Amino acid sequence: MNEVDRQLRHDLEDLSAPGDPSGVVDRVLRRAARRHARRTAGRWLLAIFVVVFSITAFVALLRVFPSPSSDAAVAAQNGLIVFSDYRIVGHHKDGSQILDGWYLYTIDPANGRLTRIGPDVVTEALFPTWSPDGERVAFLGYARDASRPRSSVYVANVDGAGMTEIFHVPHDQQVEGLHWSPDGTRIGYQLASPEPNLIPGVPSYTIWSMAADGTDHRQITTSGREMHFAWSPDGETIVVERFEPVAEMRELATTAFDLFVVDVDDGAEFRLTDDGVSRYPAWSPDGSGIAFSRGASGDSHVATVWVDGTGLREFESASTNEGGVVFPHGNTVMWSPDATMIAFAGRSVDEDVCSISALSVDGGTIRTVVSSPSQLGCPGQEGMSWAPAMEPVSSENDPTTAPSPDPSLSPDRNDESNTTEPQDIGIAFRVCFAERLGGIDHLGDGTNGNAWTAVSVKEDGTCPRYPSPERYLLAVDYTGDRVADSWIDLPIEWCASCAPWDAADLDANGTEELIIASYFSIMDYYFFSVRPDASGAIRVEPILVASPGHEPARILPGEPLRIDAGGDAGYSSTIECEDYPSEPTIVWSWSYWVIETDQPQEVHVTRLELQPDGLFHVVHTSDFSVPADTPSGVGLQTELGRQCGVDWYR
Amino acid sequence: MDESELHEFVHMHYPRLVGALALVCGSRATAEDVVQEALARAWERSLRGQEVESLAAWVTTVSLNLTRSHLRRLRTERRARPLLTGRPHDDVSLTDAQIDLRRALAALPRRQREATVLRYYLDLDVLEISRVMETPEGTTKSLLARARATLARALRTEDAREVREY
């Protein structure tokens, strides 16, 4: 043991005294008993509630719903989901601040295509909501350069461009939970504001709406205890959660929440639930039902009721919060536009995975739409919204142009809508959590090939609950029939949300190399080739680094090349490209910036070429130091755009 | 798990686990809360007939996960600061050197910080850390090496070079 080890042990010991064990056993047992009692009481309350409430609810319902729409057509097809997620994406160019925060992403549930839509001028983009036509997104943004929190409601195009500030939120107020009204004319929101007549320190929470241009604000609820809500499809009512009065802010985590239906114009209301554990409502597109999160904090799941409060159906496997510590600000439950699925943001504390998942309403099956390991936030925790499809189904899925299914294949082959049931992609065993990237010309023969990352099934033939880093594989289809032709165990040490990212011709020889991304705080990229071996057999292989590599930059000979992009509390990197597409050279720069240090920071700039021997060669290096607190020039990849044909930061 | 095992765990492991998690999350109250919550879950599991193979490893892992959740909550709640009335702080008197180390520890990426505390405070070896953090051994070594290099500078040791050979 050397000096550093000894000193660390000694100093950490001094820094944190051990905890006091006295009375802990009693507290643990009481806590366990309370957890058990909550579960039991919830079931009994449910039984009583269903009997009593179903008798009275229908009468009350008629006051608010004189003519519930029974013929609401649900013709919409499902488009992109937009959600807010906390991610670390790099540094400012001057090195002064880590570019982290809540950013907006869209994901296509049909193929898992994830896209960051910016915008970078706000440090936190939250509570995104699609316009009903799916052409614009409204969200709440916090200004990046403000010395104190300064938020506004913005509207932008789908790609994040054309951003317009429509409402600046007063500094002593807080806007959350934006929801565009079904007719597109208004945007509803939850307003938290200090109220002198209420308990000090506990904001007043009310629901408001404004015109889609940010004017004409109208208050919908008045009790000061309404938080998350959703519009009815006709826009005449909202369903909203209301909490029991609290004496201080921290009690919000444990107080009772129930759902109410409130008329937007006159405030007439009726109670939808009476169990004290109902939150985050979402109104079905056909108007017939409400989905919501039911259960005590830390043990909640998706449930549905009809709009009269009857017909409670619980989906206990669709856990919306297994941990109980997180305090979501956005709605965490929403319907798909075609009303066949309920998407929900969930989190498993024990397994430390966050995800947005889609629950099929008919069969109760669940598939993961997007997941990530623990970061400082969860996808969807700060709002999400599902748009209708903007365009007809792509020709790729058009039955008139898609290749005919091979009758020898099992019926569920190519059914990529299902990621929690074992799937057959054409290899010797079934896989789970398959992520496919199409349009890859692996061999340079013009074929529209594919690549999948997937997780192999467990020994009992079922899917693991979450993707396991040890079970990841990479499969490729180089004949273009969407059936895997070759596969390997994915040689990535820690596969976190691994997925095919892109393909590009990095050696200018007419074939495309495959790039696999592993996301864990930063994006790690690995490179794979599909090419014939000495016997002529086509193999998929990681692309290795040629000797001697460049050890100072941790580019090691004989190892698969891994480069990364982004920042992780002091780390920053940039991926650039020279002479693409004729003679591509990847220029990878990185530095490790130690916060509050008086030491110089090391910067590594390495030029890499994929040469005809199939290896990445280091062709130029530059390692240097810059004084502490001096910009290293590394970072802000987002300003670079595509490099070597790849959008490393999309 | 029976009550005697619970008593034994609390006596043997609870104090140091709380101390370790306080270093990870910066709050003793949170550390106590998450360890007790993890123990309650383990107890509840045992009541359901789901035995925990290694109680110490399981509680450490779940406590760490809960700590991360706490950090997430802090992050999301910081927007509400103008509306809130104060925030509790740990009342601890520290020397300048300890403040430097605490800052350096807090500035580490989360996984590096966790690995460091498990290694130097709980005295786990690389294999045990890998099991608790559910990371491959190579990753654990890498995390420790990077953390150690950073902390060596904060400790103002003369042997900053040796850490690269770890």
Side-chain angles (χ1 to χ4, degrees), chain A residues 2 5 9 13 16-17 19 31 35 86 124 323 347 349-350 352 374 376 381-382 494 520 602, chain B residues 15-16 19 28 33 37 41 44 65 68-69 75-76 78-79 111 120-121 123 134 148 162 164:
Chain A
N2 60 30
D5 291 322
R9 282 181 208 281
E13 190 81 36
S16 185
R31 190 187 284 242
R35 287 175 61 85
Y86 182 87
E124 294 186 348
R347 191 170 55 85
V349 164
D350 291 357
D352 206 23
S374 170
L376 291 172
Q381 172 190 325
E382 303 295 300
W494 176 255
F520 196 96
E602 298 173 6
Chain B
R16 294 207 54 86
R28 178 160 299 274
D33 190 47
E37 174 67 17
R41 290 181 187 200
E44 208 180 15
N65 290 346
R68 291 169 204 151
S69 304
R75 176 74 69 163
T76 57
R78 69 181 177 172
R79 293 193 313 278
R111 292 200 304 159
Y120 295 107
Y121 192 89
D123 214 20
E134 296 170 340
R148 199 162 168 275
E162 69 168 299
R164 298 199 182 106

Side-chain angles (χ1 to χ4, degrees), chain A residues 225-424:
Chain A
R225 291 182 283 115
E226 287 89 11
M227 297 182 84
H228 305 94
F229 74 101
W231 293 94
S232 63
D234 62 10
E236 294 180 1
T237 53
I238 60 170
V239 57
V240 65
E241 64 179 33
R242 178 182 298 157
F243 58 88
E244 290 298 307
V246 294
E248 55 181 329
M249 190 72 177
R250 69 169 69 174
E251 291 180 8
L252 273 181
T254 54
T255 191
F257 281 83
D258 276 301
L259 304 182
F260 293 77
V261 173
V262 179
D263 189 289
V264 169
D265 291 329
D266 63 16
E269 67 177 45
F270 80 92
R271 191 179 192 113
L272 192 69
T273 68
D274 195 16
D275 55 8
V277 290
S278 297
R279 299 198 66 180
Y280 309 116
W283 211 307
S284 70
D286 66 358
S288 63
I290 308 288
F292 59 104
S293 172
R294 184 173 192 278
S297 177
D299 189 19
S300 55
H301 53 266
V302 173
T304 59
V305 289
W306 301 117
V307 289
D308 62 359
T310 64
L312 178 71
R313 190 176 175 203
E314 299 193 82
F315 301 90
E316 295 197 3
S317 58
S319 174
T320 48
N321 187 342
E322 195 179 308
V325 188
V326 93
F327 184 37
H329 293 78
N331 271 32
T332 58
V333 176
M334 65 181 176
W335 289 83
S336 64
D338 68 359
T340 62
M341 288 180 278
I342 299 169
F344 61 98
R347 191 170 55 85
S348 164
V349 164
D350 291 357
E351 300 186 48
D352 206 23
V353 172
C354 297
S355 60
I356 295 175
S357 305
L359 164 77
S360 71
V361 178
D362 52 358
T365 57
I366 299 170
R367 71 182 181 94
T368 303
V369 176
V370 59
S371 67
S372 65
S374 170
Q375 300 296 316
L376 291 172
C378 288
Q381 172 190 325
E382 303 295 300
M384 56 185 185
S385 178
W386 201 334
M390 292 184 63
E391 297 173 357
V393 177
S394 71
S395 59
E396 192 176 31
N397 295 328
D398 185 338
T400 62
T401 59
S404 301
D406 183 336
S408 67
L409 305 182
S410 57
D412 58 344
R413 178 167 291 176
N414 299 334
D415 177 11
E416 292 163 5
S417 64
N418 189 342
T419 59
T420 55
E421 292 297 318
Q423 296 168 256
D424 181 357

